[in-house]
Amino acid sequence: MEPTPEQQRDAALSELARLRVGLAAGLTPEQSARLQGTTEEELTADAAAFAAELGAANPTPPATRSGGARGADVQGVTGIEAGAEAYRRQHPQREPRPAPAEAQRRTNPFAENGYTMGS
């Protein structure tokens, strides 16, 4: 028998609650799936006990990373505009090179310039 939409919703909400409580306790998603309880308080107590058994007491949640690692040239800068300005100070833009004069252009020394095609 296929579960009803209400049963599917309840199962999804239960799984979400386990994941939230488990991650807050420092557990992996796989470990969070093993938590027992029907209320948030029961899940929190089970997560704390499980984390203590695993030696993860007083866990530190993983640091949120966005945008990848920051380079040394923008360390300690907050905000996009401030970071861009710090980068510009560290890496000034170079002036583009002027195009070489016609006489200074490099040419292929092996190119033949005097041949004609026969008709």
Side-chain angles (χ1 to χ4, degrees), residues 13-75:
L13 289 173
S14 177
E15 181 181 357
L16 179 62
R18 275 194 214 78
L19 282 171
R20 285 182 177 172
V21 169
L23 291 175
L27 301 175
T28 66
E30 292 80 17
Q31 293 167 337
S32 299
R34 299 178 181 188
L35 297 178
Q36 302 293 316
T38 54
T39 65
E40 189 172 340
E41 292 78 21
E42 292 173 352
L43 289 171
T44 303
D46 191 33
F50 190 33
E53 286 179 22
L54 295 174
N58 298 326
T60 306
T64 304
R65 294 184 60 146
S66 80
R70 301 182 78 180
D73 50 358
V74 293
Q75 289 292 338

Side-chain angles (χ1 to χ4, degrees), residues 90-114:
Q90 291 285 336
H91 306 282
Q93 189 169 1
R94 293 184 230 159
E95 293 294 321
R97 288 191 209 174
E102 192 65 35
Q104 293 177 338
R105 285 196 180 157
R106 293 184 180 178
T107 59
N108 184 351
F110 301 104
E112 294 184 26
N113 289 335

